[in-house]
Amino acid sequence: DGKRGSLTIEQPEEQHTRLGNARYRWDLQLSNKVPIDLAVHFGAGQARLDLGSLLLRGVELDMGVGQLDMDLRGKVKHSYNVTIHGGIGEATVRLPADAGIFAEAHGGIGSIDVRGLRHEEGHWVSEAYEQSENKIRVQVQGGIGAIKLIAD
């Protein structure tokens, strides 16, 4: 019916000097019945994103400093794109091995470890890529210390 909603969640900006260590912890649950475009701007710290059960339309992630674990395993209901813009640290992206996956990485990436995907000229694909109706396209762009792409 064309209805769209938007949800923004952000931690407070640091306007003044604080004593001690402030920690923010976000624990969010999203509906798996509503199509979702997810944009995450990740500053510093650790993030674990379990997204495989969601009805994803797109995922865009700007990575800061720290560690990211993104799990996209689950039944792929629609084709969608995942874009990761580099930061400093480590990123692990888990993908469903039985889905059609096309992955590529460009720019200043320290090391890339790809498991469960076949390397072709300048990119990786899953065995199921050609015959899959619904595909996940993963683009990693620069500046990440180490990235792991694991299809299992």
Side-chain angles (χ1 to χ4, degrees), residues 42 62-66 84-90 108 141-146:
F42 176 50
D62 288 311
M63 196 175 157
V65 179
I84 300 171
H85 299 284
I88 299 167
E90 279 180 28
Q141 295 175 333
I144 293 178

Side-chain angles (χ1 to χ4, degrees), residues 83-105:
T83 307
I84 300 171
H85 299 284
I88 299 167
E90 279 180 28
T92 300
V93 180
R94 296 190 88 106
L95 300 154
D98 57 353
I101 296 162
F102 179 101
E104 55 188 341

Side-chain angles (χ1 to χ4, degrees), residues 43-129:
Q46 192 169 5
R48 185 166 160 251
L49 306 172
D50 285 322
L51 306 176
S53 66
L54 299 177
L55 206 54
L56 292 170
R57 286 199 310 205
V59 179
E60 184 162 350
L61 185 83
D62 288 311
M63 196 175 157
V65 179
Q67 186 176 356
L68 164 75
D69 290 300
M70 183 190 303
D71 193 339
L72 296 167
R73 291 174 297 178
K75 183 161 173 42
V76 182
K77 299 167 189 91
H78 300 285
S79 293
Y80 64 90
N81 293 343
V82 177
T83 307
I84 300 171
H85 299 284
I88 299 167
E90 279 180 28
T92 300
V93 180
R94 296 190 88 106
L95 300 154
D98 57 353
I101 296 162
F102 179 101
E104 55 188 341
H106 302 286
I109 294 166
S111 72
I112 183 157
D113 179 7
V114 180
R115 288 181 236 163
L117 299 175
R118 185 177 72 238
H119 190 253
E120 294 188 347
E121 285 184 37
H123 62 272
W124 295 266
V125 292
S126 61
E127 291 301 326
Y129 181 71

